[in-house]
Amino acid sequence: MGEERIARLVKAAKNRDTAAFEELVALFEQRVYRLCLHLTGNHNDAEDLAQETFLKAYAGLGGFREEAGFGTWLHRITVNLWTSELRRRKRGQPSSLDAPLETEEGEELDRLVVDPLPGPDEILDQKETRRLLVQALNALSPEHRAILVLREIQGCQYEEIARILACPVNTVKSRLNRARMALRRSMTHMVGREPAVPEKGKEVRVPCRASE
């Protein structure tokens, strides 16, 4: 994506050029949808979250100061909407990660990307590892799940995560370390045939709020 092109489209969209905003949606919809899918775990919720993200973005364009990239701003809105929805539903845990991801075509995909063309033994090991990992992720707080998705699945750099979550890079690194430690503890329980202990008393502390 050309940054100059995106900047021109954003400027036009701020002036309520709907065609320019529709072009921005076309450029970013797959990236936003993938993030929504990893956060929510199913196609229907991911589609709703993605749609709400773009509606929120369109309504808040006037407050977009362009200090970060447009894609980063969309990620911020997505994560904020997701965590707000979890609070609204008063869920003690994030939605289950046991089921595979469902695409809009109805195809089921594993959440974790593996190396291409593994051998039979590797396939068995990878399936068991994925099974343990998705169960361990299910025991994490929404805060930890979100930062692991951004870093380990979306591949965001520390600086971009800091912009998405509106916190310093050092906070991102420390929070990510805590999330990895929590995931490691959860997987250790799984391997030891002990039930994983969900994180309790964890307040969702994702501080970002989309600009209105």
Side-chain angles (χ1 to χ4, degrees):
M1 298 183 192
E3 294 300 324
E4 292 184 1
R5 177 190 178 194
I6 293 171
R8 287 196 301 270
L9 290 172
V10 168
K11 182 177 180 180
K14 281 186 171 184
N15 292 322
R16 293 305 184 230
D17 183 336
T18 55
F21 187 76
E22 288 173 0
E23 191 169 345
L24 286 169
V25 172
L27 288 172
F28 287 95
E29 61 183 347
Q30 288 302 315
R31 179 178 173 184
V32 169
Y33 173 77
R34 283 195 298 271
L35 175 59
C36 294
L37 188 58
H38 284 300
L39 290 173
T40 65
N42 65 84
H43 165 64
N44 289 335
D45 287 344
E47 196 171 55
D48 289 345
L49 180 57
Q51 183 177 16
E52 191 174 356
T53 294
F54 285 112
L55 288 172
K56 185 81 170 177
Y58 186 71
L61 270 173
F64 176 44
R65 296 186 296 272
E66 303 181 45
E67 295 172 353
F70 187 72
T72 298
W73 187 59
L74 289 175
H75 271 161
R76 180 186 301 178
I77 294 173
T78 302
V79 173
N80 200 49
L81 286 172
W82 177 68
T83 53
S84 295
E85 175 64 14
L86 290 184
R87 293 190 194 102
R88 188 187 68 80
R89 296 181 185 182
K90 296 182 179 179
R91 288 176 176 172
Q93 299 180 36
S95 57
S96 174
L97 292 179
D98 292 338
L101 296 176
E102 180 187 343
T103 68
E104 56 187 350
E105 290 83 15
E107 181 184 3
E108 291 187 344
L109 299 174
D110 289 327
R111 292 173 178 274
L112 302 176
V113 178
V114 298
D115 292 336
L117 302 178
D121 292 340
E122 291 175 314
I123 291 174
L124 290 176
D125 290 342
Q126 289 166 354
K127 284 183 176 179
E128 178 64 12
T129 299
R130 286 198 300 271
R131 184 186 69 81
L132 292 173
L133 187 53
V134 294
Q135 290 181 8
L137 281 169
N138 191 47
L140 299 184
S141 67
E143 176 193 43
H144 285 167
R145 181 180 172 188
I147 201 165
L148 284 171
V149 166
L150 289 170
R151 176 64 178 175
E152 308 297 351
I153 299 178
Q154 295 293 111
C156 296
Q157 298 298 313
Y158 292 123
E159 291 77 10
E160 184 175 9
I161 296 174
R163 290 191 292 268
I164 292 169
L165 302 184
C167 59
V169 171
N170 286 340
T171 300
V172 169
K173 291 179 178 179
S174 61
R175 190 178 298 176
L176 185 60
N177 285 337
R178 290 196 300 271
R180 285 169 173 164
M181 289 173 63
L183 181 63
R184 190 176 300 115
R185 286 195 300 269
S186 186
M187 290 196 71
T188 299
H189 282 295
M190 298 287 182
V191 173
R193 297 182 182 274
E194 298 178 15
V197 180
E199 295 183 289
K200 295 181 180 179
K202 285 280 190 181
E203 180 184 355
V204 180
R205 292 180 289 121
V206 179
C208 58
R209 290 191 178 276
S211 300
E212 299 293 345

